[in-house]
Amino acid sequence: MRVAIAGAGAVGRSIAAELLENGHQVLLIDVDPRAIKIDSVPRAEWLLADACEIASLDEAGLNNCHVVVASSGDDKVNLVVSLLAKTEYGVPRVVARINHPNNEWLFNESWGVDVAVSTPRLLSALVEEAVSVGDLVRLMTFRQGQANLVELTLADDAPVVGQRAGSVPWPVDSALVAILREGRVLVPTADDPLEAGDELLFVANQEVEQELAHLLSQH
């Protein structure tokens, strides 16, 4: 994939290094000359420019990008970059960083954001995920389509323990995508039994989260 990252700070550079390691082409864009640290990610392309300006994005060749990551430390910049990437260049996948939780409501499809990543929300979700049994925890929101990645660890007395995954009446607009069990990642099949202590990962519409939680934790 060709990926453009707007914001070449520590976050942007870390993302770039990871993507390059996985074989992707990466362009880092930043308006601040101090952020252009080519030696830190030498395999990336670099562009000193304002990612909020059409001329800069033309120069960056955004129309040839599969993904744009808006990773600056300024939420206003990330929203503008996301909107331009989606509406002006039709970038298939736009991922945006949320710096301030109060701005989270803005990061949706209206601003061209497919996936919004809020570090405070993610950290709190991971804390909840580590200590919660029997409670549904939202790990990530996919704004396009209003789908969420949610997790629940099955308690010993969960009603679905012992049932096969295919026999459970999962809510419409939800899908069991993985079972984490004893350090293993299992891709569930209809015949897989559910066991106490299993961490279940779902992609689910937010409107059915309560129904899903009730199904997995009712007594």
Side-chain angles (χ1 to χ4, degrees):
M1 291 189 303
R2 179 169 173 78
V3 183
I5 301 174
V11 173
R13 294 196 304 272
S14 296
I15 296 169
E18 187 77 20
L19 290 171
L20 286 163
E21 194 65 30
N22 291 334
H24 303 297
Q25 299 175 13
V26 177
L27 169 66
L28 280 159
I29 309 169
D30 207 293
V31 71
D32 186 352
R34 294 169 299 178
I36 306 299
K37 300 178 179 179
I38 296 175
D39 290 344
S40 64
V41 194
R43 292 164 52 205
E45 300 172 51
W46 290 79
L47 179 62
L48 175 61
D50 186 349
C52 293
E53 295 184 356
I54 290 288
S56 299
L57 299 181
D58 284 343
E59 185 179 354
L62 232 65
N63 54 311
N64 295 319
C65 289
H66 303 92
V67 181
V68 164
V69 182
S71 69
S72 83
D74 187 328
D75 284 344
K76 296 188 295 295
V77 169
N78 291 343
L79 285 170
V80 171
V81 170
S82 298
L83 184 63
L84 291 175
K86 184 64 71 175
T87 59
E88 296 295 325
Y89 299 93
V91 176
R93 189 74 160 169
V94 177
V95 180
R97 169 189 176 189
I98 304 172
N99 295 279
H100 300 290
N102 288 345
N103 296 330
E104 192 170 336
W105 66 278
L106 287 165
F107 284 74
N108 56 37
E109 64 273 12
S110 297
W111 280 92
V113 178
D114 295 309
V115 180
V117 181
S118 168
T119 301
R121 175 180 285 277
L122 184 57
L123 289 174
S124 63
L126 291 172
V127 169
E128 289 184 78
E129 184 269 337
V131 299
S132 300
V133 174
D135 294 326
L136 199 69
V137 177
R138 184 183 296 176
L139 298 178
M140 184 177 291
T141 298
F142 304 99
R143 291 294 183 183
Q144 196 76 15
Q146 300 297 308
N148 299 318
L149 179 67
V150 297
E151 181 270 352
L152 183 139
T153 300
L154 288 178
D156 293 343
D157 59 351
V160 297
V161 168
Q163 295 187 38
R164 298 187 182 279
S167 67
V168 178
W170 305 117
V172 175
D173 293 331
S174 69
L176 176 62
V177 294
I179 300 172
L180 309 184
R181 179 184 297 158
E182 297 177 352
R184 298 177 59 214
V185 179
L186 307 177
V187 178
T189 68
D191 291 330
D192 283 329
L194 301 176
E195 301 179 4
D198 281 353
E199 289 186 58
L200 306 182
L201 290 175
F202 295 87
V203 173
N205 187 298
Q206 60 188 23
E207 294 180 358
V208 303
E209 285 183 12
Q210 285 190 334
E211 183 182 349
L212 188 60
H214 182 69
L215 174 69
L216 293 168
S217 59
Q218 63 179 333
H219 305 304

